[in-house]
Amino acid sequence: MNSAKPKQTVVKASLLLVDDEASLLRLFKSTLGRSGYHCQVADNGEAALQLLEKQPFDVVVTDIAMPVMDGMALTKKVIESYGANVIVMTGKSDIYKYDQFISIGASDFVEKPFTVEELELRIRRVLNERRLKLRARAAHLELKEAYLDSIHRLVMASEYKDENTGDHIIRIGKFSRFMAMKMGLDKKEIETMYYASPMHDIGKIGIPDHIILKPGELTSQEFEIMKTHTIIGAKLLSRSKSAILQMAEEIAISHHEKFNGQGYPNGLSKEEIPLSGRIVAIVDTFDALTSKRPYKDPYSFEKVYDIIKGEREKHFDPSITDLFIDNFSYLFAIREKIGHLGDTTI
């Protein structure tokens, strides 16, 4: 019986070699090809971009002085749009300096003349760095997913004894993200809003069951106790170094404040209320109005529209209200898609 282990296939990197000297390209392609690299060639930057549009490359090795598009312009476009590492080569080191290319994201800079062996060593070094960064990025994403999963489970625990469902949490995140996008927040703020907003009611975990589960209207004393979920939530989320949990704390304490100063727990008004809290105030109210509760059926499209519009400058920030109303049909469609009206099952 043959117990020899099967040979593992080593997948070599793909290289794009860019130079207007045809003889140099032939030498590079044949030598690097014998080392197992998959090589393509182009004689100027524009031709290189056409190849990059068709397939991904791990490393682009480019000359600087070329017709049509030079190496400087090509390097910028590769770094911005294609995700490949770039090694720049030139015979004009008196004009072009190492730091010029490193500052725009190139991974290495090599002066002509050089041997193919030297180039291959540099390619190998850049590829090793690339693999390490890709592994680190994958590990970071895995850690982030685990972190967000833990947050989601914590939120679900706080909602478990309430009449609200897992769908409610999903909707609040989607509504908040949509409004943040429409308000022109940057990509990082939009993502943070998406993950932080579902934690708005996490403080309900500290509210007694007989209040959370009460099928009818709360007494004034019970309502005062219920209002403390904002403070409890903020305390649970406080002192975190995470941007998501910092925003979640901000939302927890402020999403029941009102634009006219009649909300709780601190009676803030207008721009005193954090933007995140002003956004969640309107999307949370919208979701409550369109949801079935033990003491009420979901309200109709028209009734919810009128209530939201009527609370402009009272409960809700007027500019956010206008944006919400402008996109009301789309938001209502999201509401119906994620947990149909009247459906309180997970």
Side-chain angles (χ1 to χ4, degrees):
M1 182 176 178
N2 188 0
S3 59
K5 292 182 180 178
K7 287 185 178 180
Q8 291 186 332
T9 303
V10 178
V11 179
K12 283 283 188 176
S14 57
L15 310 178
L16 176 55
L17 311 169
V18 191
D19 200 306
D20 58 341
E21 292 186 41
S23 58
L24 201 59
L25 283 182
R26 284 196 297 270
L27 174 64
F28 287 163
K29 184 176 181 179
S30 62
T31 306
L32 293 169
R34 285 197 297 272
S35 295
Y37 294 103
H38 305 290
C39 302
Q40 295 258 36
V41 298
D43 60 5
N44 63 71
E46 284 285 1
L49 290 178
Q50 290 174 13
L51 289 170
L52 283 158
E53 282 293 321
K54 295 176 182 176
Q55 70 176 89
F57 290 91
D58 297 300
V59 178
V60 175
V61 181
T62 181
D63 191 23
I64 297 178
M66 297 181 294
V68 187
M69 177 187 287
D70 67 15
M72 178 72 84
L74 175 62
T75 298
K76 288 179 180 177
K77 286 189 176 291
V78 171
I79 299 300
E80 287 170 4
S81 305
Y82 297 99
N85 289 75
V86 180
I87 297 174
V88 178
M89 52 187 180
T90 184
K92 298 182 178 181
S93 57
D94 55 328
I95 301 174
Y96 300 104
K97 302 298 180 185
Y98 176 87
D99 57 355
Q100 284 181 273
F101 288 91
I102 299 304
S103 65
I104 62 171
S107 299
D108 206 347
F109 180 90
V110 55
E111 294 182 29
K112 294 179 179 178
F114 55 83
T115 64
V116 182
E117 289 75 20
E118 181 185 353
L119 179 60
E120 186 171 355
L121 284 172
R122 289 175 181 265
I123 290 170
R124 213 177 292 162
R125 182 188 63 77
V126 168
L127 284 169
N128 283 336
E129 287 183 4
R130 179 180 176 83
R131 291 186 188 105
L132 287 172
K133 285 180 181 178
L134 289 173
R135 285 176 193 157
R137 195 175 303 156
H140 173 74
L141 287 173
E142 186 177 346
L143 183 62
K144 182 179 179 181
E145 285 175 7
Y147 161 72
L148 293 172
D149 181 61
S150 298
I151 289 174
H152 180 74
R153 290 171 187 272
L154 179 60
V155 173
M156 288 294 291
S158 71
E159 296 280 351
Y160 184 73
K161 59 185 178 180
D162 195 357
E163 74 274 6
N164 293 317
T165 69
D167 287 342
H168 165 71
I169 295 167
I170 295 168
R171 288 192 300 269
I172 293 299
K174 287 186 178 292
F175 293 152
S176 299
R177 177 173 61 186
F178 177 79
M179 291 301 294
M181 287 170 61
K182 286 294 180 181
M183 295 183 74
L185 301 189
D186 66 39
K187 187 177 179 181
K188 183 66 177 175
E189 289 174 311
I190 293 167
E191 183 187 55
T192 302
M193 191 78 199
Y194 176 61
Y195 291 119
S197 56
M199 289 181 266
H200 63 292
D201 277 340
I202 200 167
K204 284 184 178 179
I205 202 166
I207 303 300
D209 285 5
H210 73 274
I211 294 176
I212 289 287
L213 302 175
K214 187 174 180 179
E217 196 172 329
L218 299 178
T219 66
S220 57
Q221 185 179 9
E222 288 169 339
F223 185 56
E224 288 303 312
I225 295 171
M226 176 63 86
K227 283 158 60 172
T228 64
H229 81 273
T230 55
I231 298 167
I232 295 168
K235 285 182 178 177
L236 284 172
L237 297 163
S238 64
R239 298 181 183 179
S240 174
K241 294 180 180 179
S242 159
I244 292 173
L245 294 184
Q246 287 171 359
M247 183 179 282
E249 177 190 358
E250 183 179 83
I251 292 169
I253 197 70
S254 67
H255 73 286
H256 282 294
E257 300 288 358
K258 295 185 178 181
F259 197 75
N260 63 6
Q262 299 299 306
Y264 64 86
N266 297 314
L268 303 179
S269 64
K270 299 182 179 178
E271 281 72 31
E272 290 177 340
I273 307 167
L275 177 60
S276 61
R278 282 179 273 150
I279 291 173
V280 173
I282 195 167
V283 302
D284 189 37
T285 301
F286 171 76
D287 198 68
L289 292 172
T290 55
S291 296
K292 181 177 176 62
R293 294 290 184 263
Y295 51 87
K296 78 165 189 68
D297 288 326
Y299 294 159
S300 67
F301 179 102
E302 294 76 13
K303 186 170 183 178
V304 176
Y305 182 95
D306 290 341
I307 291 172
I308 296 289
K309 195 170 182 179
E311 288 297 318
R312 186 183 187 275
E313 287 191 288
K314 298 174 187 176
H315 191 162
F316 309 128
D317 181 316
S319 61
I320 296 176
T321 307
D322 292 343
L323 195 59
F324 196 92
I325 291 297
D326 287 345
N327 294 278
F328 194 81
S329 294
Y330 180 79
L331 289 157
F332 207 86
I334 294 175
R335 174 62 185 86
E336 289 192 291
K337 184 177 181 181
I338 307 171
H340 293 291
L341 294 179
D343 180 9
T344 56
T345 59
I346 297 178

